[in-house]
Amino acid sequence: MNFLAHLYLSESNTNIMIGNFIADHIRGNRFTHLDLEIQQGIKLHREIDTFTDAHPITRKSKRRLHKRYGLYAGIIIDIFYDHYLAKNWDEYSAIPLDIFVDSVHNLLENKREILPEKTLHMLPFMIEHNWLFNYQYKKGIKSVLNGMNRRTKNLGQMDLAIDDLYELDEKFEKDFKLFFEDLQTFSHQKLKEIQQAN
């Protein structure tokens, strides 16, 4: 899953949210100096990623994509699934998406001193271009895919995946909704296990 899903699955715990958000920028176990709940958020993020990668529905989504994307198919599906979460946000949260996103931006800005360097580099662009809110729009996803393609020097041709999104929109959305039910159940239980283990 991508940023929005990880933040949502943190169950409104701000420290879990921070850990869940920064986890991709943390190597190995180099996080033991952080607050316990932030550590738990990092662990939850990794559990979510493992569950997502192995799930038969996400694998089916990847197979729907054009073969040209290769190893980048998983990243593309993560982005697509965030699109459907944002698009259907009212089905999952009583807090409007714009208010949720603003609260995330404020949280991260107020915790800059503990954010990894890569997160600090990315954060201004994320806020300026309002990535999380704009995930709900296909033009927002197109912009994200174009950015990812530039950063990977066109190796995955991810900019072309917007065509797959338009062509298979209903199928991808159905995949997402079925998968996200399983993911919510898994994530809630896994977070409880992580918290009880500490």
Side-chain angles (χ1 to χ4, degrees):
M1 300 303 292
N2 208 42
F3 295 126
L4 186 61
H6 280 293
L7 290 162
Y8 171 80
L9 293 167
S10 300
E11 301 187 358
S12 301
N13 181 314
T14 54
N15 281 331
I16 298 288
M17 290 174 83
I18 292 168
N20 218 337
F21 183 78
I22 67 173
D24 282 336
H25 296 154
I26 301 286
R27 288 189 176 183
N29 64 351
R30 297 179 186 174
F31 56 85
T32 54
H33 62 288
L34 295 170
D35 179 277
L36 177 60
E37 287 187 329
I38 295 177
Q39 295 183 45
Q40 291 170 346
I42 294 168
K43 292 174 183 177
L44 178 62
H45 179 111
R46 293 174 177 179
E47 293 284 356
I48 289 169
D49 281 357
T50 299
F51 179 83
T52 300
D53 290 343
H55 199 283
I57 294 177
T58 56
R59 289 185 170 183
K60 180 166 70 173
S61 286
K62 289 178 204 176
R63 289 195 297 271
R64 294 190 196 281
L65 290 171
H66 193 285
K67 292 180 181 178
R68 62 183 160 231
Y69 308 116
L71 295 174
Y72 293 94
I75 297 171
I76 293 167
I77 293 302
D78 283 348
I79 294 168
F80 284 6
Y81 280 11
D82 255 17
H83 166 62
Y84 295 115
L85 176 57
K87 177 185 171 187
N88 298 290
W89 184 259
D90 291 348
E91 296 179 24
Y92 300 103
S93 177
I95 301 170
L97 181 58
D98 59 338
I99 293 174
F100 179 83
V101 170
D102 284 346
S103 71
V104 167
H105 290 171
N106 289 333
L107 170 65
L108 295 172
E109 287 280 24
N110 290 332
K111 295 290 185 177
R112 292 180 66 88
E113 72 279 0
I114 62 169
L115 300 181
E117 186 175 338
K118 287 185 178 179
T119 307
L120 286 171
H121 177 74
M122 178 190 73
L123 188 60
F125 299 100
M126 186 184 89
I127 293 174
E128 180 184 353
H129 298 288
N130 211 4
W131 291 352
L132 301 177
F133 183 77
N134 286 323
Y135 281 158
Q136 66 187 299
Y137 307 117
K138 286 188 174 64
K139 65 180 181 181
I141 297 302
K142 181 177 182 178
S143 177
V144 171
L145 291 169
N146 286 342
M148 293 293 293
N149 193 59
R150 284 193 301 273
R151 285 190 286 280
T152 56
K153 299 179 180 175
N154 199 35
L155 290 175
Q157 302 181 78
M158 284 187 281
D159 58 318
L160 302 178
I162 191 64
D163 296 333
D164 298 75
L165 182 61
Y166 275 104
E167 182 181 347
L168 299 170
D169 192 17
E170 290 183 9
K171 291 180 179 179
F172 282 131
E173 185 163 8
K174 183 179 179 182
D175 288 351
F176 164 75
K177 288 188 172 183
L178 289 171
F179 166 70
F180 205 61
E181 286 183 24
D182 289 351
L183 180 59
Q184 285 179 284
T185 301
F186 168 83
S187 180
H188 179 71
Q189 183 58 39
K190 185 57 66 174
L191 179 55
K192 286 168 69 173
E193 291 174 10
I194 290 169
Q195 291 171 326
Q196 288 167 1
N198 294 117

